[in-house]
C-alpha cells in the first residue's frame, strides 16, 4: 500500500497548519447546530473554500491534466474522521483533478466555473431542498419555473413557454423525445422513427435504447461540407416516410454540433416539420446560449420555431455542472408525458410539481447556480463570453490556416477541429496522438475526436483565460508536429 503523502508535498491552507486551529476543527459535528450559528461548521466551510480558492489560483502553475495522483482511502474508518483529515483527503483528490481553470484547458466543453455558480452550488447543498415537490423547495421550484419561462421566451418560444432543469443535455434530449412521442400519440408504435443529422449527438442513440426503439429508428442523414444537415435530403426522406406510412416521432436539428459547432438550417427544417406536422426538437446544448446575445441571434434564426430546445449553460457560460434545461413552447406537454400523480405529496399550488414535469424524481435545485450565474454575468457579461470565444476561434483558425497542409473544420461558434490533409486513418490517429502529447507537454490540452473516418484534433475556445500567446504556442506546436512531405 502506498504511504500517505506528506503535508509538505500537498500543502494545506496556511491557517490550517496552526495547532490551535486544528484542535478546534476536531469538534466539527455531523449536522449544523439548529439553535444558533455553528462556529465549527463555519470554520470548516471557510477552510474548504480556502482550499478550493488556492486550487483554482494555482491552475496556471500546473497542467490542465495532472499526472495520476495518490488517492486517499475510500472506505470509512470505524470512527468518523476529524475536520483536518477530511480537508487533507479532499486536498489529495483535488491534486488529481482536471483543472478547467487552466488557460490551456481547451479540450472539451468544460469551461472554468463561474464564481457565483460556485457559491450557489454550496448554498444548494446546504439548503438540501428537493425539486421533486413544492413543499420540499417552495422558493426554488418557483425560481426554476420562472427562469425556464424567461429563457424560453428569450429563445422566442412564446408567452406560454417554459420547461424544466435536467441533470445534463442527454437527459434533456431524452425527455424531449419522450414528450414528442406522447404528444403525437405514438407511444405504442414500435415502428416510429427520429430523424437527425450524421453529426447529431450520441445521446440520441441512448434515447432510442431507453425508449425501447431499435437503433435503426434513429435515421442519421448526411451533412454538407459545413457539417449542416442537408434540408433537401431531409425533405426527400420525410416524403418517403409519409408515403410508406412510417410515423415520425420527431425531427432533431442540432444548433452547435459537438465536433465542429455547425448549426443545422433551422428555418428550413422547421418549415418541413410544419408541413408534415412533425415535432421539431433543437439540440442547442452548445449553441442555444448564443441566442441570448443580440448580435449572434441571426446565426440561430428559426430557433423560435422549435417545439422543444435543449440548452446546456454548463458548456460555455461556466455554470457549474450539471446545468441543462429542456424548454418547450407548450410545457404542459411535459406533464402529459411524465405525470404519474404524487399520492404522498400535497397538491401542487402552481403548474405542477417538479417531479411531475420530467423523468427525474428527487433532484437538486440546479437552477440556483444558473440563476445566480446569469445574474452575475448580466447580459453584457454573457455577450462578452460568447464574443470572446468566437474571437479566439477566429484567431486560432487564422494561425492554423497559414499552413496549407492543414484542413480546418469549423463552424460559426467557438469550436475548431483540424487534421493534416492526405493522411489515411492510421496516419491521422498516429498524428493526433503524437501531437496531443506534444501539446500536453506544454500544458495545452486538446481533444482527439474521431470524425468522418479520421481522428482530428479539436479545440474548444470557451476558456476566457486563454490568451493570444497560448494560441500562438498551440499553432506552433501543431505545425512542428505536422507530417513531412
Ligand atoms: C454535450 C452535448 C449533449 C449532451 O449533454 P450532456 O450534458 O453531456 O449530457 C447533447 N448534445 C450536444 C450537441 C452536446 O454537445
Amino acid at each position: 500500500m502506498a504511504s500517505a503523502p506528506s503535508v509538505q508535498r500537498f500543502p494545506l491552507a496556511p491557517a490550517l497548519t496552526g495547532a490551535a486551529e486544528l484542535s478546534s476543527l476536531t469538534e466539527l459535528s455531523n449536522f449544523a447546530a439548529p439553535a444558533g450559528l455553528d462556529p465549527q461548521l463555519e470554520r470548516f466551510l471557510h477552510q474548504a473554500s480556502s482550499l478550493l480558492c488556492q486550487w483554482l489560483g494555482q491552475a496556471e502553475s500546473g497542467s490542465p491534466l495532472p499526472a495520476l495522483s495518490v488517492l486517499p482511502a475510500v472506505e470509512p474508518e470505524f470512527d468518523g474522521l476529524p475536520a483536518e483529515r477530511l480537508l487533507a483527503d479532499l486536498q489529495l483528490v483535488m491534486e488529481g483533478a482536471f483543472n478547467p481553470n487552466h488557460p490551456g484547458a481547451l479540450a472539451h466543453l468544460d469551461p472554468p466555473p463561474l464564481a457565483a455558480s460556485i457559491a450557489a452550488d454550496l448554498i444548494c447543498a446546504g439548503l438540501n431542498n428537493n425539486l421533486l415537490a413544492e413543499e420540499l423547495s417552495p422558493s426554488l421550484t418557483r425560481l426554476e419555473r420562472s427562469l425556464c419561462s424567461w429563457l424560453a421566451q428569450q429563445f422566442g418560444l412564446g408567452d406560454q413557454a417554459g420547461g424544466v432543469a435536467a441533470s445534463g443535455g442527454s437527459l434533456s434530449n431524452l425527455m424531449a423525445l419522450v414528450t414528442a412521442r406522447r404528444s403525437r400519440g405514438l407511444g405504442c408504435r414500435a415502428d416510429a422513427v427520429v430523424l437527425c443529422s450524421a453529426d447529431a449527438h450520441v445521446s440520441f442513440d441512448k434515447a432510442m435504447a431507453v425508449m425501447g426503439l431499435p437503433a435503426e429508428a434513429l435515421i442519421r442523414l448526411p451533412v454538407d461540407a459545413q457539417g449542416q444537415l442537408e434540408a433537401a435530403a431531409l425533405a426527400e426522406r420525410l416524403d418517403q416516410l409519409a408515403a410508406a406510412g412510417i410515423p415520425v416521432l420527431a425531427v432533431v436539428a442540432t444548433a452547435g454540433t459537438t465536433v465542429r459547432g455547425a448549426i443545422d438550417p433551422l428555418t428550413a427544417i422547421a418549415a418541413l416539420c410544419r408541413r408534415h406536422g412533425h415535432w421539431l426538437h433543437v439540440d442547442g446544448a452548445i449553441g442555444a446560449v448564443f441566442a441570448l446575445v443580440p448580435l449572434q441571434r441571426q446565426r440561430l434564426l428559426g430557433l423560435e420555431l422549435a417545439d422543444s430546445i435543449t440548452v446546456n449553460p454548463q458548456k460555455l457560460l461556466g455554470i457549474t455542472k450539471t446545468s441543462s434545461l429542456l424548454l418547450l413552447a407548450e410545457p404542459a406537454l411535459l406533464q402529459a408525458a411524465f405525470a404519474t400523480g404524487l399520492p404522498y405529496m400535497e397538491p401542487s399550488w402552481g403548474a405542477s410539481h417538479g417531479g411531475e414535469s420530467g423523468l427525474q424524481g428527487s433532484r437538486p435545485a440546479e437552477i440556483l447556480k444558473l440563476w445566480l450565474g446569469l445574474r452575475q454575468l448580466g447580459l453584457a457579461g454573457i455577450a462578452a463570453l460568447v464574443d470572446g470565444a468566437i474571437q479566439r476561434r477566429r484567431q486560432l483558425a487564422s494561425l492554423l490556416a497559414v499552413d496549407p497542409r492543414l484542413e480546418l473544420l469549423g463552424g460559426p461558434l467557438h469550436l475548431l477541429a483540424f487534421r493534416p490533409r492526405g493522411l489515411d486513418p492510421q496516419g491521422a490517429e498516429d498524428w493526433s496522438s503524437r501531437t496531443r502529447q506534444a501539446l500536453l507537454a506544454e500544458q495545452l490540452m486538446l481533444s482527439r475526436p474521431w470524425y468522418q473516418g479520421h481522428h482530428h484534433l479539436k479545440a474548444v475556445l470557451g476558456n476566457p483565460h486563454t490568451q493570444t500567446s497560448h494560441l500562438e504556442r498551440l499553432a506552433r506546436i501543431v505545425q512542428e508536429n505536422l507530417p513531412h512531405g
Side-chain angles (χ1 to χ4, degrees):
M1 224 186 110
S3 61
S6 69
V7 170
Q8 276 76 16
R9 212 169 125 210
F10 299 107
L12 291 175
L16 255 187
T17 51
E21 205 79 37
L22 289 184
S23 63
S24 60
L25 273 176
T26 57
E27 294 161 28
L28 177 68
S29 48
N30 288 342
F31 299 97
L37 185 134
D38 184 332
Q40 277 76 30
L41 175 65
E42 194 181 29
R43 187 174 296 116
F44 182 59
L45 293 183
H46 272 307
Q47 298 291 2
S49 48
S50 168
L51 288 186
L52 177 65
C53 292
Q54 289 186 47
W55 179 78
L56 288 166
Q58 286 166 2
E60 200 164 349
S61 61
S63 165
L65 187 59
L68 283 188
S69 64
V70 180
L71 272 187
V74 291
E75 69 282 4
E77 294 180 11
F78 182 77
D79 287 316
L81 298 183
E84 76 270 15
R85 284 201 49 203
L86 297 177
L87 292 171
D89 281 0
L90 270 180
Q91 176 75 26
L92 285 185
V93 178
M94 289 162 67
E95 297 293 339
F98 160 70
N99 199 329
N101 210 37
H102 192 291
L106 299 166
H108 299 286
L109 293 141
D110 292 74
L114 197 64
S117 234
I118 300 175
D121 239 345
L122 174 68
I123 302 298
C124 181
L127 296 177
N128 205 18
N129 275 212
N130 190 342
L131 266 282
L132 171 68
E134 288 160 356
E135 64 184 1
L136 296 171
S137 53
S139 55
L140 292 159
T141 289
R142 278 181 293 144
L143 192 67
E144 176 174 295
R145 229 176 253 150
S146 306
L147 186 56
C148 285
S149 298
W150 180 79
L151 272 166
Q153 281 162 25
Q154 296 302 301
F155 293 155
L157 294 186
D159 293 344
Q160 301 306 311
V164 69
S167 296
S170 301
L171 194 47
S172 295
N173 284 339
L174 170 64
M175 293 195 296
L177 294 190
V178 170
T179 306
R181 174 160 78 174
R182 167 79 191 220
S183 85
R184 294 301 186 264
L186 295 172
C188 302
R189 291 291 292 263
D191 58 345
V193 295
V194 174
L195 295 101
C196 64
S197 91
D199 288 2
H201 193 258
V202 291
S203 52
F204 294 105
D205 297 302
K206 289 188 187 175
M208 293 296 109
V210 176
M211 294 169 76
L213 294 170
E216 310 80 63
L218 185 67
I219 301 177
R220 289 181 174 272
L221 298 168
V223 294
D224 63 15
Q226 272 70 51
Q228 300 173 306
L229 174 65
E230 289 179 24
L234 176 64
E236 197 180 319
R237 197 57 171 270
L238 289 177
D239 286 341
Q240 288 167 0
L241 291 167
I246 296 174
V248 172
L249 194 159
V251 173
V252 173
T254 305
T257 56
T258 312
V259 173
R260 56 194 293 182
I263 299 175
D264 289 339
L266 303 179
T267 308
I269 295 172
L272 292 169
C273 288
R274 292 269 153 109
R275 185 186 316 154
H276 288 271
H278 296 330
W279 182 283
L280 173 59
H281 175 63
V282 175
D283 181 1
I286 296 175
V289 293
F290 287 73
L292 296 175
V293 180
L295 288 176
Q296 302 292 340
R297 272 205 91 106
Q298 90 282 356
R299 300 182 194 277
L300 289 139
L301 285 182
L303 184 66
E304 70 284 356
L305 302 172
D307 293 289
S308 55
I309 300 172
T310 290
V311 54
N312 271 23
Q314 71 194 24
K315 283 198 165 167
L316 175 60
L317 301 183
I319 309 302
T320 51
K321 283 176 277 290
T322 48
S323 182
S324 177
L325 304 175
L326 174 63
L327 303 174
L328 299 96
E330 284 183 67
L333 296 174
L334 262 182
Q335 286 106 47
F338 290 102
T340 57
L342 282 176
Y344 34 84
M345 290 292 169
E346 290 298 309
S348 163
W349 59 70
S352 118
H353 287 300
E356 297 278 82
S357 306
L359 185 56
Q360 288 175 274
S362 291
R363 59 188 168 91
E366 299 189 87
I367 204 69
L368 195 65
K369 60 201 174 189
L370 174 58
W371 164 74
L372 205 66
L374 295 179
R375 300 269 291 169
Q376 181 186 15
L377 286 172
L379 297 174
I382 296 171
L385 266 183
V386 162
D387 292 343
I390 291 180
Q391 199 48 46
R392 287 187 294 277
R393 189 261 304 154
R394 287 207 181 108
Q395 207 179 356
L396 181 61
S398 48
L399 286 166
L400 293 175
V402 169
D403 199 311
R405 291 173 292 175
L406 277 175
E407 179 171 3
L408 307 188
L409 298 177
L413 305 184
H414 62 301
L415 288 80
L416 186 67
F418 53 92
R419 71 180 160 94
R421 296 175 202 278
L423 288 183
D424 63 12
Q426 186 61 50
E429 180 168 1
D430 295 345
W431 162 80
S432 64
S433 172
R434 189 176 67 239
T435 310
R436 180 174 137 108
Q437 281 313 315
L439 288 164
L440 272 176
E442 298 209 31
Q443 283 78 52
L444 294 163
M445 183 178 172
L446 263 54
S447 59
R448 217 161 57 84
W450 189 79
Y451 177 67
Q452 294 186 342
H454 290 81
H455 280 89
H456 290 68
L457 285 178
K458 169 180 137 185
V460 180
L461 296 145
N463 187 335
H465 300 316
T466 307
Q467 307 286 323
T468 300
S469 58
H470 298 108
L471 299 181
E472 286 170 350
R473 184 145 50 99
L474 195 165
R476 175 179 54 74
I477 297 167
V478 167
Q479 267 147 27
E480 285 167 4
N481 282 274
L482 280 176
H484 298 288

